[in-house]
Every structure is written in C-alpha cells, then in structure tokens.
Amino acid sequence: MVPVSRTLRLLMLIVIAVSVPEGLALLFGPPAWYTSIWGWSLTPMTARFTAGVYLSVAVGFALAFRETDWDRVRIPLAMLWSFALIALLAAVATNLTSATTPFRIERPFSWVWIFLYVISVAGGLYYQFIYPRKFGAKPW
C-alpha cells in the first residue's frame, strides 16, 4: 500500500479551496464578474460549463481527501494534471497564434489560475509517476 502523503493532501486542499469559490462564482455570478475573475472572455454558457468542471474536480478531491491509499486517488489525480496541462498548453498556444491576446494577465484571477494549474501539473505528475515508485508501486 502506498500512503497518501500530507503534501498530496495539501495539493488537494489547494485545488478544492480555489475550485469551489471560482466554480460557484462562475455558476451563480452575473456575467459582469467574468472580466474580473477570469483570464479570458466567457459567455454565460461557457462560464457555467467551466463551473461544472471546477466543481466536479473539487468534489472528486473532497472524496479522495479521506482516502489513505494512493491507489484510490490516482484516477482523480490523473484527471487533474492532464486537464491542467492541456489547459495551460491551450492558453499558451492561443496567445502565441492569435492576433489579439485572449488571455488577460492583468486580471487578478489570471495569476491564481496560472498558479493553480502549474501546481496541479507539477504536483500531479510527481504524485502520479515518481512518488508511488518510492513504495514499489506502478504509477498506472
């Protein structure tokens, strides 16, 4: 058995702490909020869809937080780092190939988003592939 480390639990708490308020704000907040809490333009539909993703990730990690065996949290962990990696790459690619800059780094939440996704990718990859090997487990 590979234990769930305190640092992995901290990663889960960071994801939950950011995802829940952001998801609720996107789900229930007025469209006027989108420009101050999000890094790019959103329609009400895309805001609510994104809220669903954020809240689902938070629920997954809230359930995983109680687990003591890494094997039981590896699937939500893989979903987190892969989604975060794809989103980061998409944001970078879009900014590099677009005539205008769709990702607005002057917005305060943009930096929270970047922090959350970089931490999610780095921590997720470490806990998916490196950490379990210390205990002789296979990452997949």
Side-chain angles (χ1 to χ4, degrees), residues 6-19 54 57 61 76-89 110-129:
R6 287 184 182 155
T7 310
L8 179 53
R9 289 187 195 284
L10 178 62
L11 175 65
M12 287 189 249
L13 285 176
I14 291 169
V15 171
I16 293 167
V18 174
S19 297
Y54 270 57
V57 167
F61 276 112
L77 184 63
M79 293 168 63
L80 170 71
W81 68 258
S82 62
F83 172 76
L85 179 62
I86 292 166
L88 278 172
L89 292 174
S110 295
W111 292 103
V112 174
W113 185 88
I114 291 168
F115 168 77
L116 177 66
Y117 280 51
V118 168
I119 292 297
S120 296
V121 171
L125 287 171
Y126 172 79
Y127 282 104
Q128 190 79 53
F129 295 105

Side-chain angles (χ1 to χ4, degrees), residues 31-136:
W33 287 4
Y34 303 161
T35 57
S36 62
I37 63 172
W38 202 250
W40 56 87
S41 299
L42 293 173
T43 65
M45 176 59 201
T46 57
R48 286 173 179 85
F49 179 85
T50 304
V53 172
Y54 270 57
L55 294 172
S56 296
V57 167
V59 167
F61 276 112
L63 295 171
F65 188 81
R66 299 177 54 194
E67 296 296 337
T68 58
D69 185 5
W70 168 86
D71 196 47
R72 295 179 56 101
V73 302
R74 66 186 173 87
I75 292 175
L77 184 63
M79 293 168 63
L80 170 71
W81 68 258
S82 62
F83 172 76
L85 179 62
I86 292 166
L88 278 172
L89 292 174
V92 169
T94 301
N95 271 22
L96 291 176
T97 60
S98 178
T100 60
T101 307
F103 191 83
R104 311 297 303 218
I105 60 172
E106 71 275 4
R107 295 179 181 171
F109 189 76
S110 295
W111 292 103
V112 174
W113 185 88
I114 291 168
F115 168 77
L116 177 66
Y117 280 51
V118 168
I119 292 297
S120 296
V121 171
L125 287 171
Y126 172 79
Y127 282 104
Q128 190 79 53
F129 295 105
I130 298 169
Y131 177 77
R133 290 179 188 203
K134 292 181 180 182
F135 300 89

